[in-house]
Amino acid sequence: MELDLIAIGKRIAEIRRSNRYTMGEFGKLLGGVNKSAVNNWEKGRNLPEQNRLDQIALIGRTSVTEILYGDFETYTFNVLYSLLMGEGKYNSSEHTYKSDELSQYLTAYVNDEKFLNVPEDTKRMFALHDVSKNIAMQRLSTNITYGQDDAIIKEAMDFLKAETQPKATNHGLVNMITSELSESITDVDWLFNKHFYDDKPSSENKITPEFAKEVKEVLTTALQKIISLENDYQS
């Protein structure tokens, strides 16, 4: 996973401030490093040398790995976020399937009852943090550690697969059906665009925009009615 110099700088600054050192005092403690060098580290302009990182970790009662990557929950979140967004080493066609799979699982997971009061525009990130927290909590039993990104992704997929299994409740039933309907609505657009632009069908065989629009309206209406039905049974 790529290093985030800005985040590393903030962690170094937090270690210095929590120990109540000025930049000058911190530099002297590290063997005569000048104030401007410490400032450059904290601003994310460059990294301390390895021996300095070792000293900073000792002062902060932490490890060099945590200075570089954050705690394991943060590291896990960053791995999953990078996959989801197709960033860094995940910006390639070979990772597209895994990225789509994670996205689909998250779409289902955010419909869990524990996220009912979370604002819609933050649900996916909130859920991703929740997944990361659970993986970090299970770290001792799974023996997953920093650098084992593939293992982290597999653990996340296994967790989400288990958590998104339909539950034998009204909400569980609604969650299962609405997830399928939402995916179907997305599939209408995908199939229409693929059929229309990629396959270049003859005029008598193509999916017409009017038909695709009506299918989406039917699915959307069904989705709204099922959600409304659950609300009626809750009142």
Side-chain angles (χ1 to χ4, degrees):
M1 186 172 174
E2 295 179 5
L3 294 175
D4 184 339
L5 295 185
I6 299 297
I8 293 170
K10 289 179 180 179
R11 287 190 279 271
I12 292 174
E14 177 58 30
I15 290 173
R16 176 181 64 78
R17 292 186 187 122
S18 66
N19 285 278
R20 299 184 178 181
Y21 293 123
T22 64
M23 286 188 184
E25 292 169 340
F26 195 59
K28 287 180 182 178
L29 192 64
L30 296 173
V33 177
N34 61 51
K35 179 180 176 180
S36 62
V38 175
N39 183 59
N40 284 336
W41 299 341
E42 295 187 3
K43 295 294 184 183
R45 294 178 182 135
N46 52 46
L47 279 176
E49 295 177 354
Q50 183 62 49
N51 64 319
R52 305 297 187 204
L53 283 171
D54 291 336
Q55 291 174 295
I56 294 169
L58 188 62
I59 294 169
R61 295 174 292 280
T62 184
S63 66
V64 172
T65 300
E66 290 207 12
I67 292 175
L68 295 178
Y69 297 105
D71 58 46
F72 192 67
E73 181 179 335
T74 300
Y75 180 83
T76 298
F77 176 85
N78 288 334
V79 169
L80 297 177
Y81 182 83
S82 294
L83 174 64
L84 186 66
M85 304 304 292
E87 295 180 346
K89 67 180 181 180
Y90 300 111
N91 184 19
S92 64
S93 57
E94 64 181 293
H95 291 106
T96 300
Y97 174 78
K98 280 293 181 184
S99 178
D100 289 345
E101 186 179 16
L102 177 60
S103 180
Q104 289 169 10
Y105 274 135
L106 277 177
T107 298
Y109 189 44
V110 297
N111 289 318
D112 191 280
E113 291 172 330
K114 61 183 170 183
F115 301 121
L116 285 176
N117 296 320
V118 178
E120 286 295 330
D121 60 341
T122 62
K123 272 188 176 181
R124 282 169 69 85
M125 289 302 100
F126 194 92
L128 198 63
H129 276 291
D130 186 72
V131 174
S132 304
K133 179 180 179 181
N134 277 278
I135 292 175
M137 288 173 61
Q138 298 298 319
R139 185 183 174 193
L140 289 178
S141 60
T142 59
N143 292 317
I144 297 174
T145 189
Y146 294 88
Q148 297 179 326
D149 297 1
D150 289 343
I152 288 172
I153 292 169
K154 182 181 183 303
E155 193 68 22
M157 297 296 191
D158 289 345
F159 172 81
L160 285 167
K161 185 177 181 179
E163 289 295 310
T164 53
Q165 291 298 311
K167 296 178 175 64
T169 63
N170 285 353
H171 184 76
L173 178 60
V174 169
N175 185 20
M176 178 185 70
I177 296 173
T178 54
S179 294
E180 293 292 338
L181 284 173
S182 296
E183 188 173 343
S184 295
I185 291 171
T186 301
D187 286 345
V188 170
D189 286 330
W190 177 84
L191 186 59
F192 172 74
N193 289 330
K194 182 180 186 303
H195 192 59
F196 192 83
Y197 295 107
D198 296 347
D199 298 341
K200 299 188 181 349
S202 59
S203 59
E204 65 270 15
N205 293 327
K206 72 179 182 181
I207 301 173
T208 62
E210 295 79 12
F211 181 75
K213 179 182 178 182
E214 288 202 36
V215 170
K216 284 181 64 176
E217 288 175 353
V218 170
L219 292 171
T220 302
T221 300
L223 183 64
Q224 293 168 345
K225 284 187 175 181
I226 290 171
I227 294 173
S228 176
L229 184 63
E230 181 188 19
N231 293 334
D232 290 344
Y233 273 84
Q234 287 178 338
S235 59

